[in-house]
Amino acid sequence: MLRLLVSVIFVGLSCFSVASQATINVAVASNFKVSAQDIADQFSNEYDIDVNISSASTGTLYQQILHGAPFDLFLSADQEHVDLLQQANKVGDNQPFVYAQGRLGFWMPSAETNPSIEDFMAYTGRLAIANPKFAPYGVAAQQALTSVGKWEDLQYIQGSNISQTYQFVESNNVKAGLVAYAALVQKKQQHYLLVPAKWHQPIIQAGVVLGTAQAEQANLFRDYLLSKPIQQLIHSQGYN
């Protein structure tokens, strides 16, 4: 009987431990998925809080949150969609924060060397970009091409997000593309040009904790994300 009672208590404690294990759901712009997963793994090991990463274009995630998707934290690829959620009363009293600044790279894997600005200006083939309607990196690509007078001159293959745009070029479906510089750094790619920052508006990547029951844990993850060691990690992965 004593052994049975001990077993019941042990099982009960185990169930309580599992039930009390906190989990937060984080919506992450596709360009930041690899970095976010790396950071989430480190965070979970340190704080014993599970982090579920869901990734898509910023515009898609924004629409999902508007329609009630159960996310606790939103890591956007721009400031605009965070501000819109704030205006829609989806963030409670939580304030937006900036966690990274992205850059664009003109990637041409078949080139023999890193392409120059002259090579970019001379390029006439199909170009992969993210769809400007959904992806801030697509907006930046359109701005860059417009600023140098090439927007009307090229044919585009548009990815639903910047990760799909990268895949178009990686799979050789498109000869070149304007992709996230961070992806080129993280995957140790060659033969790319870092697009001059003056060609487009800064890609300011902002986030916000959403008004959910897991706000305390989400705020802890936010603080971890903004800590000096993690910011140094983000910088090393291709972000300003």
Side-chain angles (χ1 to χ4, degrees):
M1 176 64 73
L2 178 60
R3 181 178 299 175
L4 177 60
L5 179 60
V6 170
S7 298
V8 170
I9 292 173
F10 178 77
V11 170
L13 288 174
S14 297
C15 291
F16 175 78
S17 176
V18 171
S20 64
Q21 175 73 41
T23 300
I24 57 175
N25 298 309
V26 183
V28 178
S30 63
N31 73 282
F32 198 67
K33 180 182 179 181
V34 172
S35 297
Q37 189 62 67
D38 186 17
I39 295 166
D41 291 342
Q42 295 182 48
F43 175 81
S44 295
N45 289 334
E46 186 167 343
Y47 290 98
D48 199 28
I49 297 173
D50 291 334
V51 181
N52 293 330
I53 300 293
S54 298
S55 176
S57 71
T58 289
T60 297
L61 294 171
Y62 164 75
Q63 288 294 334
Q64 290 175 355
I65 294 168
L66 276 184
H67 289 89
F71 294 121
D72 305 301
L73 178 66
F74 178 38
L75 298 180
S76 173
D78 65 4
Q79 180 77 52
E80 178 185 1
H81 286 89
V82 169
D83 292 342
L84 289 172
L85 286 178
Q86 196 172 30
Q87 294 168 20
N89 297 318
K90 292 292 185 178
V91 305
D93 295 329
N94 299 305
Q95 295 301 309
F97 57 89
V98 175
Y99 65 92
Q101 181 172 337
R103 296 290 302 273
L104 276 175
F106 172 63
W107 185 31
M108 194 173 181
S110 62
E112 295 182 358
T113 61
N114 286 339
S116 64
I117 288 180
E118 289 74 19
D119 294 327
F120 175 79
M121 294 301 297
Y123 183 77
T124 58
R126 294 189 306 165
L127 187 71
I129 65 170
N131 190 330
K133 292 182 179 179
F134 305 110
Y137 278 77
V139 173
Q142 183 175 4
Q143 290 173 346
L145 290 160
T146 300
S147 71
V148 295
K150 289 184 66 68
W151 177 248
E152 302 293 339
D153 298 337
L154 299 175
Q155 292 184 329
Y156 301 102
I157 303 299
Q158 297 187 7
S160 59
N161 55 60
I162 196 63
S163 294
Q164 186 179 60
T165 305
Y166 177 94
Q167 293 166 6
F168 286 159
V169 183
E170 184 181 42
S171 63
N172 295 318
N173 285 324
V174 188
K175 185 178 179 181
L178 289 175
V179 302
Y181 172 61
L184 299 173
V185 171
Q186 292 162 12
K187 299 185 180 183
K188 298 180 172 59
Q189 296 292 357
Q190 297 179 331
H191 307 153
Y192 64 82
L193 166 72
L194 185 59
V195 172
K198 65 182 180 181
W199 287 4
H200 59 82
Q201 294 295 315
I203 307 173
I204 303 298
Q205 304 203 193
V208 68
V209 173
L210 303 171
T212 68
Q214 300 296 336
E216 181 178 352
Q217 292 83 359
N219 275 303
L220 186 62
F221 184 76
R222 176 206 61 195
D223 293 344
Y224 188 78
L225 180 68
L226 297 179
S227 67
K228 185 174 180 180
I230 298 303
Q231 284 293 300
Q232 290 174 338
L233 172 64
I234 292 171
H235 180 75
S236 72
Q237 294 181 338
Y239 295 94
N240 289 351

